[in-house]
Every structure is written in C-alpha cells, then in structure tokens.
Amino acid sequence: ELQQKVEEMELLKMELQMLETERVRLSLVEEKLMDVLQLLQQLRDLNISKRALGKILLSTLESCRDPQPGKAHLFEVLDTLYHELTACELLQSQPLEKAQSRQSLSNPLVISC
C-alpha cells in the first residue's frame, strides 16, 4: 500500500510538472499575441491598406508553411508575424512620441472591425 502511494505521488508530480510546462508555454504565446495585437492596432491607426496587411499575413504564412522541429508552430507563426509587422514601413516612418501617446490613450487590445 505504501509503494502504491509512492507511485501515485510520482505520477502526480509528473502531471504537475507537465501542467507547469504548459502554463509557461501558454504564457509565452499570450505575450507574443499581445505584442502582435498592439502592432495591428498601431497599423490600423495609421490606416494601413487591407492589401498591405494581406501581403504581410501571406508572407508570414508562407514562411511558416513547414514547421521547425522542436518549436511550437503557433508560437512560430506569431513570432514571424510580429517580425513582419515590425518591419512594416508605416511603423518605421512613424515618430516615436506619436506612437507612444496613441498607445497610452487607447486600449491596445481593442481592435474594431
């Protein structure tokens, strides 16, 4: 009976470790998603064309067509989209103080369609 309790405890420890790993992974995905949403909000405020945004998205999807081994595909797509968005000419030509003031005035997570 004692041996059975020890085995159950080991299984619970492993399960807890897996849950913690998953929590960290989801936290990283959430953080990257927040970054992407903020960039999309800034681009919307700058009136980016739907065509330009579509090109960014298609470029992202094309570069992430074959998942990298050992890397979460969702995180890879979000990370690539983040880098594609930051490379957008509209964001790079925007003055820094204007971007910061806009970001502080509005909720960066609200994107109206």
Side-chain angles (χ1 to χ4, degrees):
E1 190 175 309
L2 185 59
Q3 179 65 26
Q4 186 180 7
K5 292 288 183 190
V6 169
E7 289 172 4
E8 285 178 18
M9 194 139 132
E10 288 299 317
L11 285 173
L12 288 173
K13 280 183 184 178
M14 285 178 22
E15 195 173 320
L16 183 62
Q17 188 176 20
M18 288 185 341
L19 286 172
E20 181 62 22
T21 301
E22 185 65 11
R23 186 193 67 76
V24 169
R25 186 188 71 79
L26 288 173
S27 178
L28 291 172
V29 168
E30 179 184 27
E31 194 174 301
K32 188 57 72 173
L33 183 58
M34 297 284 280
D35 292 343
V36 167
L37 288 174
Q38 285 178 336
L39 288 171
L40 287 171
Q41 177 74 39
Q42 288 176 10
L43 287 171
R44 187 195 71 176
D45 291 344
L46 294 171
N47 294 322
I48 188 171
S49 73
K50 291 178 183 178
R51 173 171 277 190
L53 194 55
K55 285 181 181 180
I56 292 170
L57 183 58
L58 288 175
S59 173
T60 298
L61 294 174
E62 180 66 29
S63 65
C64 295
R65 188 180 345 171
D66 300 321
Q68 299 290 323
K71 202 173 184 188
H73 188 63
L74 175 62
F75 187 79
E76 180 185 354
V77 171
L78 284 173
D79 192 47
T80 304
L81 180 57
Y82 175 80
H83 290 295
E84 291 277 342
L85 290 170
T86 55
C88 181
E89 290 176 13
L90 274 176
L91 284 177
Q92 292 181 2
S93 65
Q94 180 185 24
L96 184 61
E97 64 277 355
K98 190 175 180 181
Q100 288 174 339
S101 67
R102 268 196 189 150
Q103 192 174 12
S104 64
L105 291 177
S106 64
N107 182 348
L109 298 180
V110 178
I111 298 178
S112 63
C113 295

